[in-house]
């Protein structure tokens, strides 16, 4: 029962470096999401994909790009990392879109530090 | 910005006690409400949905007060394993993908 799998779990980057966070779900869900969680800020939506082939911006998309590679996989790319992107990143999936979804299934998180 | 407000705590509660905390929301048109649980350094997981009539799941009771725009979570006979952060989540209509708004969480510590 893998659910939602994220890699890597930990990463340290230098300012200006790029990296991609990978996410895969095995529940045949249509919708996938990337959130970031910062102390005192709660979970904030970065990007989402309502279905294979579509992606849309969430609340805090600046500095990120995403790719919905297929129904299972949704990656998040930082093209030029900044210290402000130090955070815990969660990938999530749901059967329905967020507009009607109740239950989101989250990955275990990826802890990113940008020096 | 749709707002969902929670008391961050921490709530320090002795084992076996009853504890309750609320979450207020600003969008009166909000339609769906949920409580998620997040353990330290783990991912959030759905604890329970909150229905208009209120609902109970074992030691946990969730209630919705639309007039005052808040939801509540009551935990009876608290266990050490209940220590976690509880996130209030509100789904507002027409919000698209960001129709789900997460509160910042209430930190609960059950003490032996």
């Amino acid at each position: 029962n893998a659910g939602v799998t994220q890699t890597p779990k930990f990463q340290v980057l230098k300012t200006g470096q790029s990296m991609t966070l990978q996410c895969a779900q095995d529940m045949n869900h249509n919708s996938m999401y990337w959130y970031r969680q910062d102390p005192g800020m709660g979970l904030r939506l970065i990007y989402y994909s309502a279905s294979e082939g579509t992606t849309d911006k969430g609340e805090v998309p600046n500095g990120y790009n995403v790719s919905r590679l297929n129904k299972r996989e949704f990656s998040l790319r930082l093209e030029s990392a900044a210290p402000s992107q130090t955070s815990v990143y969660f990938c999530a999936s749901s059967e329905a879109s967020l507009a009607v979804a109740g239950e989101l299934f989250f990955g275990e998180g990826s802890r990113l530090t940008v020096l | 910005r749709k707002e969902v407000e929670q008391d961050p705590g921490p709530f320090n509660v002795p084992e076996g006690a009853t504890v309750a905390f609320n979450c207020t929301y600003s969008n009166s048109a909000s339609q769906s409400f949920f409580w998620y649980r997040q353990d330290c350094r783990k991912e959030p997981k759905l604890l329970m949905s909150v229905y208009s009539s209120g609902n109970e799941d074992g030691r946990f009771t969730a209630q919705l007060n639309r007039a005052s725009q808040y939801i509540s979570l009551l935990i009876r006979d608290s266990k050490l394993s209940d220590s976690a952060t509880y996130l209030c989540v509100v789904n507002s209509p027409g919000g698209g993908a960001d129709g789900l708004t997460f509160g910042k969480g209430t930190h609960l510590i059950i003490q032996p």
Side-chain angles (χ1 to χ4, degrees), chain A residues 37 40 48 98 102 104 107 111, chain B residues 36 38 41 43 91 97 100:
Chain A
Q37 187 174 37
Y48 69 99
L98 269 179
L104 297 183
R111 285 172 170 72
Chain B
Y36 276 69
Q38 185 172 23
R41 301 181 71 81
E43 73 274 23
N91 194 338
L100 273 186

Side-chain angles (χ1 to χ4, degrees), chain A residues 10 33 35 37 40-45 48 57-59 90 98-109 111, chain B residues 1 31-32 34 36 38 40-46 49 87 91-100 102-104:
Chain A
F10 301 93
Y33 318 91
Y35 286 88
Q37 187 174 37
M41 295 297 293
L43 280 157
R44 293 182 292 170
L45 184 64
Y48 69 99
K57 296 178 180 179
E59 181 186 354
F90 287 102
L98 269 179
V100 296
E103 185 167 16
L104 297 183
F105 294 83
F106 287 88
E108 293 182 336
R111 285 172 170 72
Chain B
R1 174 82 171 98
Q31 294 182 337
S32 305
F34 312 92
Y36 276 69
Q38 185 172 23
C40 186
R41 301 181 71 81
K42 298 288 188 180
E43 73 274 23
K45 293 181 180 180
L46 180 66
S49 302
L87 307 176
N91 194 338
S92 301
D98 60 354
L100 273 186
F102 284 79
K104 296 175 184 178

Side-chain angles (χ1 to χ4, degrees), chain B residues 1-76:
Chain B
R1 174 82 171 98
K2 301 175 281 291
E3 293 293 334
V4 175
E5 302 287 343
Q6 295 184 252
D7 183 340
F11 283 53
N12 290 283
V13 175
E15 189 176 10
T18 296
V19 59
F21 28 84
N22 294 338
C23 164
T24 60
Y25 59 94
S26 61
N27 187 342
S28 60
S30 298
Q31 294 182 337
S32 305
F33 310 88
F34 312 92
W35 284 105
Y36 276 69
R37 172 193 169 126
Q38 185 172 23
D39 293 310
C40 186
R41 301 181 71 81
K42 298 288 188 180
E43 73 274 23
K45 293 181 180 180
L46 180 66
L47 177 65
M48 58 198 305
S49 302
V50 186
Y51 304 123
S52 295
S53 57
N55 50 303
E56 187 174 311
D57 183 3
R59 297 182 293 107
F60 297 82
T61 300
Q63 292 193 316
L64 167 64
N65 185 317
R66 284 195 182 274
S68 300
Q69 294 184 205
Y70 73 87
I71 64 172
S72 63
L73 180 67
L74 178 88
I75 306 174
R76 290 181 298 277

Side-chain angles (χ1 to χ4, degrees), chain A residues 39-110:
Chain A
M41 295 297 293
L43 280 157
R44 293 182 292 170
L45 184 64
I46 304 171
Y47 269 94
Y48 69 99
S49 171
S51 62
E52 184 179 352
T54 69
T55 62
D56 284 285
K57 296 178 180 179
E59 181 186 354
V60 287
N62 291 344
Y64 305 95
N65 285 301
V66 290
S67 296
R68 184 74 182 266
L69 304 171
N70 47 55
K71 191 171 186 179
R72 290 188 63 248
E73 298 173 286
F74 188 40
S75 63
L76 178 72
R77 183 162 178 82
L78 287 69
E79 291 291 352
S80 179
S84 61
Q85 294 178 303
T86 293
S87 187
V88 180
Y89 292 85
F90 287 102
C91 178
S93 71
S94 66
E95 189 172 333
S97 70
L98 269 179
V100 296
E103 185 167 16
L104 297 183
F105 294 83
F106 287 88
E108 293 182 336
S110 298

